[in-house]
Each structure stands twice: as structure tokens, then as C-alpha cells.
Amino acid sequence: MTVEDGGSGSEYTLASSGRMNRTGANGASIDGNDDLVGSTATGQVDGDADSYKFSGALVVLDVDGDATVRLNGNQVDSDDYYDNVLTIGGPDSDANYSLSTSGRLNRTGANGATVDPNDTISGTTATGQVHGGVDSYKFVGELTTIELNGNATTLLNGEAVTDSSQSPVLGIHSGISDTNFATIDRIEEWQDAQYPVQTIFIPWNSDEGHLNWLFDYLLPRIWDAGRIPLITWEPYTPGVSAASVDTQAIVENQEYSAYLESLDTTTPDDIEVRIANGEYDGYLKTWVRRLRQWLAGPDGEQGTDDDRRAYIRLAHEMNGDWYPWSPTVGNSSASSYVEMWRHVHDQFRYSGIDTANIEWMWCVNAEDQGSYTAEELYPGDDYVDWLSVDGYQWGTSQDWSSWRSPEAVFGNMLGRVRNLADKPVCIAETASSSATSSGSDPARKDDWIRSAFEYFDDEGVDMWCWFNEDKETDWAMFNGRHGTERVSYDGDRVNAYTAYREGVDSYSGAGAATSGATPLTTTSFNGE
């Protein structure tokens, strides 16, 4: 096989089912940019040609550029082959593994691999075992997850890859308008990593138009972008006029956040008591039915390959004093909040919804600000799948705030929620201001972002979600008021924070799948 440059430089990956070696045939040369590991070769040609000899069949051929590839003198097309080869194992290997890809996946005999009854492929997901041998797969697109339990070497196109189960799941909130969906796409390109989770904020609006917007438009868009929705389900109950608004029009006019905040005046101050007493059961039954239909996927059947998933974060930050469902504010108590949570949870349990496709996230503020502690508001282990904490670094943006380290923001509450239960932990909302007493200091915010990522790693946080929206202060790390670098976006140069890009890039192994594939493995979705 010979790879000949077309004049503009090209990179390539190829693999065979048998042994492979270099050869100087056809005037080919090998340099420091070419590498051969087992029967997988990677390299580049720039005004020259590379040549290889191999036994067996060509199983992978991926060319980036205008190079011409000839096999035994005949030109071949890379579109007829898989793009990548992944090998797991080695002489001393003893491990179980699972992996998923964004495109079609198949076994290959490359690198001396064998297949036994313990190895299975289902769609774009594979699981298996290696014991002193090698398993090898060919696939199209990206390796979205690889999880390894044991001692084995994993190579993607000849290069070592990291077990993605060791990385946190990444999430983001960046508004829900069309413009901000494009912003998330651009952030993913900028940071060279994808988000498997996208946070949204949804009120208890029973209007049919609002429900259609949520279940027929918003959730499908998030899923098709390769993200699992994290639904922050806020028991804001609109009055008649607020319920019948055109939600999509509000979104497109950048008025959605203001709309949610306006619902504080129409929501009863004993909303948890009313929910627990069944006054909203009609809305709940409709909402659960619509969610059940959406989770079942296009075929309408639960338990099939096109099923979807969602996280539900109900009535968050209840240990604060700013939401009507917070017992400190409302005409209610800690016990009524717990009763409300359990009542809502039970409606899902009794509906026949496939609970394997939803995870319940209980979320407190990083500090108790009111009459009740976070512990008093815990619904119990049977009603919670994830423990989560919201916390922000406000800088001097408020007259009561000051600069605080990540440990100062989260340390106390993280320890407390972990004492409640042995469950995965999420930082469901976080961001930093750049405000100081002498004005904005983006470099200081950059340092805080860097230290926050290190802190989350040290604490073993299983998921964290950045709040990328300038609201009370300049929370955004991309396309906000300030930054430490400038990035081309939508025809303009916008602000961004270098530390965020560099930090997230190191977690690329935990990225989401591309459109049409299931984001996250079951293990990662469950936080295991």
C-alpha cells in the first residue's frame, strides 16, 4: 500500500488484519511523523509518499487531505473502509471493558486480536474481556467512551487513550434560545470536547403550547445534538395569562429568564404543600405521560435502542430563601418539602415510565440561607439518584460578597451531602465573576477556573455544569463581557477564558456522542 501526497499535505491512518511493516517500495520514505504500532500505521505525507506491506485484509483507512492511496497498484477509496482501529490488551492484560463510538462499529482481527463469547457488540457499544491477549475493533467517527476495569493497554490508531470513566461528566447551561444553542456548538469546537449534558430551566406550566414546545421541540433538539437534558424542574406555577404565552417567541426574543422570574408573583407560597396534597396531579400525569413518550424515542416503545434519557433536578436550592418552594420563604416546612418530592417521584414510579432512563438529582445551595438545613430537606435514599450542589464565586460583584476559593465555596456542603448517602455527586451550577474592588480582573477569574477544575478532580466530583450566561454578574466563560483571549464566532471576535478551554480539553475522553447516538454509557449516566 502506498500513500502519495496530492500536493497540499495529508494525514492518514491504516490498519490490516495481519502483520504490517514499512517498505521503501515506490520511492516511499519514512520519517519522524510516521508511526507503526502492531498492524496500525499513522503518518503524514507532504510532497512525498509512504509505503507499507501487510498480510491479511485492509480493515481501516482514513485519509485527511488529497492524498492518493494505492493498494497493489490500484487506487482505493477511504470511504469504503472504517476510519479508526482500537486495540485493548497485551501480553499481561487481564481486564473487562466497555466502549462506545459515534459511528458504526465492528470487530477486526487486526493486531492479532481474538474474539470470545464474553465480547459483545450492540449497535455502537461493545463490552468484553481480555486475558493475556488483544481485542480489536474498527469504527467510524469518534470514540465517545472507553471504560476499563483491570490491567490492559488501550490504543486508538496506535496512540494510548485514557479511560473516560476517570473523567467527570461535563455539562453546560447557556440559555435555550437558537442563538445560544449555536453558542454551545461553538464552545465545543473551541475547547475540543463535547458536552454530554445540557442544563435547562422549566416551570410547571400546564399550557398545551408550552408542553408542545418542551417535548416536541426543545428536548428533541438537545438529544439530537448529542446531549442529555438536565431538566431543572422549577415549581413556578403561572397564572392564566402567563401560562398561555408563546414560549418559543419569548425564547427567541431573549426574554425567557425574565419570564421565569416573573412567575414568582403567581406561585403560591405554600406550593409544596399543594403539590403534596395532590392539587397538581392533573398536570403531573400529563407531564409524566409526555416525558414517557419522549423517553421511548421515535419508535414509541420503551426498552429499545432508540430510548432517550434525562436528569430531573426538582425544586433546587430549597435550603435558600429566594424561591417560593423554599420552606424558609413559603407557608410550609421541611417535612412538606420532603412530602412534595416523594409525591412527585411516586407519580413517575406508578406511571410505568422506564426508570432506567431517568435519574433524580437532589440539589442544594452551597450554603444554608434560611431556617432549614440541607439535611432536613433530604427526601431519602429511595427517592434520590444524584446528590448535587450549586455554588458560585461572586467576587466583589455584590455588596455582601468577596473572593472565595473553590474549597471555601463548596467544601463544607460537599462533605455534608456525602455524609447523607453514598451516591454520585454533581456540581449542578457553578461559575465565577471577574469583579474585584478595582474593577474587572479576567486573569484572576482565569486562575479561579483553573483551581476549580483541580479541586473538582481532587474531590472526585462525578459531574459538573458551568453556568455560561452573564446574569447577576459576568458568569460566562465564552461570549461574555470579559475574557483572557479572543475567539472568532459568528463573524465577530468574542471573549473567552483560556483556563476553561485548557481544563476541559483534558476531559475530552468524557465527551458526548454525535447526533443520533446515545450520550454517555449507562455506567456514566448513573454516575457509577
Side-chain angles (χ1 to χ4, degrees), residues 277-404:
N277 288 341
E279 292 185 28
Y280 290 85
D281 281 3
Y283 163 76
L284 279 173
K285 290 178 181 177
T286 300
W287 204 91
V288 172
R289 175 178 57 81
R290 294 292 299 268
L291 181 66
R292 184 177 185 272
Q293 292 171 343
W294 181 79
L295 291 172
D299 69 0
E301 296 183 13
Q302 295 186 112
T304 58
D305 288 343
D306 69 344
D307 281 6
R308 297 159 171 159
R309 291 171 171 167
Y311 295 97
I312 298 178
R313 186 169 66 129
L314 172 64
H316 68 309
E317 299 179 10
M318 78 302 290
N319 61 327
D321 59 5
W322 45 86
Y323 286 128
W325 53 85
S326 302
T328 294
V329 175
N331 183 19
S332 56
S333 65
S335 61
S336 64
Y337 179 88
V338 170
E339 290 170 6
M340 177 273 297
W341 180 286
R342 292 178 176 178
H343 181 79
V344 174
H345 189 280
D346 285 343
Q347 304 309 302
F348 285 72
R349 182 177 292 167
Y350 302 149
S351 72
I353 201 168
D354 190 342
T355 55
N357 294 328
I358 56 173
E359 291 278 292
W360 288 84
M361 185 176 287
W362 179 76
C363 183
V364 298
N365 189 59
E367 295 182 59
D368 296 324
Q369 296 187 20
S371 306
Y372 301 95
T373 65
E375 290 85 349
E376 293 176 280
L377 300 162
Y378 184 58
D381 291 355
D382 291 342
Y383 295 87
V384 173
D385 299 307
W386 283 71
L387 307 169
S388 63
V389 179
D390 289 353
Y392 292 84
Q393 195 295 107
W394 291 80
T396 60
S397 64
Q398 312 297 313
D399 56 12
W400 47 263
S401 65
S402 61
W403 276 80
R404 303 175 70 202

Side-chain angles (χ1 to χ4, degrees), residues 500-521:
Y500 188 92
R501 171 177 55 79
E502 292 176 347
V504 171
D505 183 53
S506 67
Y507 301 136
S508 59
T514 57
S515 177
T518 301
L520 299 180
T521 64

Side-chain angles (χ1 to χ4, degrees), residues 430-441:
T430 192
S432 174
S433 172
S434 69
T436 70
S437 57
S438 58
S440 174
D441 189 344

Side-chain angles (χ1 to χ4, degrees), residues 410-431:
F410 295 104
N412 178 266
M413 188 57 74
L414 275 179
R416 287 167 57 189
V417 299
R418 279 179 163 147
N419 285 333
L420 282 171
D422 181 16
K423 294 182 181 292
V425 173
C426 171
I427 302 298
E429 293 181 36
T430 192

Side-chain angles (χ1 to χ4, degrees), residues 171-188 195 197-201 218 222 227 230 251 254 256-257 428-430 465-470 475-480 489 500:
I172 189 169
H173 168 72
S174 191
I176 58 172
S177 70
D178 290 339
T179 300
N180 281 328
F181 266 78
T183 299
I184 297 177
D185 293 339
R186 183 61 184 89
I187 293 172
E188 291 179 334
Y195 291 103
V197 173
Q198 181 175 340
T199 304
I200 56 175
F201 294 80
L218 182 62
I222 292 173
R227 306 181 193 115
L230 195 167
V251 168
Q254 306 288 322
Y256 188 76
S257 294
E429 293 181 36
T430 192
C465 307
W466 192 269
F467 191 90
N468 189 61
E469 184 177 0
D470 284 349
W475 301 129
M477 51 74 192
F478 185 93
N479 199 23
Y489 167 61
Y500 188 92

